[in-house]
């Protein structure tokens, strides 16, 4: 990971990432990356912080086939340049998992399951989490927080 890049992270098991959510993340990332590349040579007169490296989506690797399928999908639907936007991490032991999770800028929750331990790990490491809540259905809403 480039330490200057904004890192969108989801280290949930790939089976928890539904196709609609993945495509939504890639559309958003595509827009942010387009903005980055359009401003690379700007003097940043907008007042927004200048991005120093292109943002990436950091995913957990769960095999060569999974990575190949995602790369093929992204290349086909979003273009060759977007394939470079994906970074894959191997499964790691607990301490290394926590250390590297802290390198992310934001953790993307999976709305089909919502975060459990992994969401708590991200928050523990100071990484904010974006979650889409889809109602209350027992085990799939553990990452949600109810307010009065």
């Amino acid at each position: 990971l480039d330490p200057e890049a904004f890192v969108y992270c989801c280290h949930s098991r790939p089976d928890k990432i539904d196709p609609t959510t993945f495509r939504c993340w890639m559309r958003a990332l595509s827009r942010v990356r387009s903005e980055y590349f359009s401003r690379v040579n700007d003097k940043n007169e907008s007042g927004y912080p200048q991005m120093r490296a292109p943002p990436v989506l950091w995913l957990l690797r769960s095999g060569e086939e999974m990575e190949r399928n995602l790369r093929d999908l992204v290349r086909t639907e979003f273009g060759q340049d977007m394939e470079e936007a994906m970074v894959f991490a191997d499964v790691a032991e607990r301490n290394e998992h926590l250390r590297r999770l802290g390198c992310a800028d934001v953790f993307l929750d999976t709305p089909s399951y919502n975060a459990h331990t992994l969401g708590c790990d991200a928050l523990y490491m100071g990484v904010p989490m974006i979650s889409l809540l889809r109602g209350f259905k027992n085990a799939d809403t553990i990452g949600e927080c109810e307010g009065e």
Side-chain angles (χ1 to χ4, degrees):
L1 289 175
D2 185 329
E4 299 293 325
F6 190 92
V7 178
Y8 298 88
C9 173
C10 182
H11 285 180
S12 296
R13 289 189 337 253
D15 60 299
K16 292 185 176 186
I17 304 172
D18 65 271
T20 300
T21 298
F22 181 75
R23 285 180 173 93
C24 178
W25 292 347
M26 293 308 295
R27 281 192 304 276
L29 184 59
S30 177
R31 289 182 186 127
V32 175
R33 286 177 66 87
S34 291
E35 184 69 17
Y36 166 79
F37 288 115
S38 72
R39 294 181 183 261
V40 166
N41 297 317
D42 284 357
K43 295 179 182 174
N44 195 27
E45 296 173 6
S46 65
Y48 293 106
Q50 185 72 25
M51 291 184 274
R52 296 184 182 154
V56 296
L57 176 60
W58 193 20
L59 301 168
L60 184 66
R61 179 179 289 121
S62 80
E64 291 178 18
E65 183 180 6
M66 169 265 195
E67 184 175 343
R68 186 175 52 253
N69 289 343
L70 284 180
R71 288 190 184 283
D72 288 347
L73 177 128
V74 167
R75 192 178 320 107
T76 301
E77 294 187 22
F78 298 95
Q80 183 94 22
D81 295 340
M82 284 302 292
E83 185 181 354
E84 298 171 8
M86 292 188 304
V87 177
F88 291 88
D90 291 319
V91 174
E93 59 90 15
R94 179 104 178 119
N95 288 337
E96 175 62 11
H97 155 72
L98 290 173
R99 184 202 63 76
R100 70 182 187 188
L101 190 56
C103 296
D105 291 291
V106 67
F107 178 82
L108 301 174
D109 192 9
T110 57
S112 297
Y113 289 86
N114 292 112
H116 298 170
T117 305
L118 191 53
C120 292
D121 289 347
L123 295 172
Y124 175 77
M125 295 307 295
V127 179
M129 179 170 60
I130 297 175
S131 187
L132 175 64
L133 308 180
R134 291 191 176 168
F136 298 97
K137 293 182 275 173
N138 299 330
D140 65 345
T141 57
I142 291 175
E144 297 177 7
C145 189
E146 250 183 284
E148 296 280 331

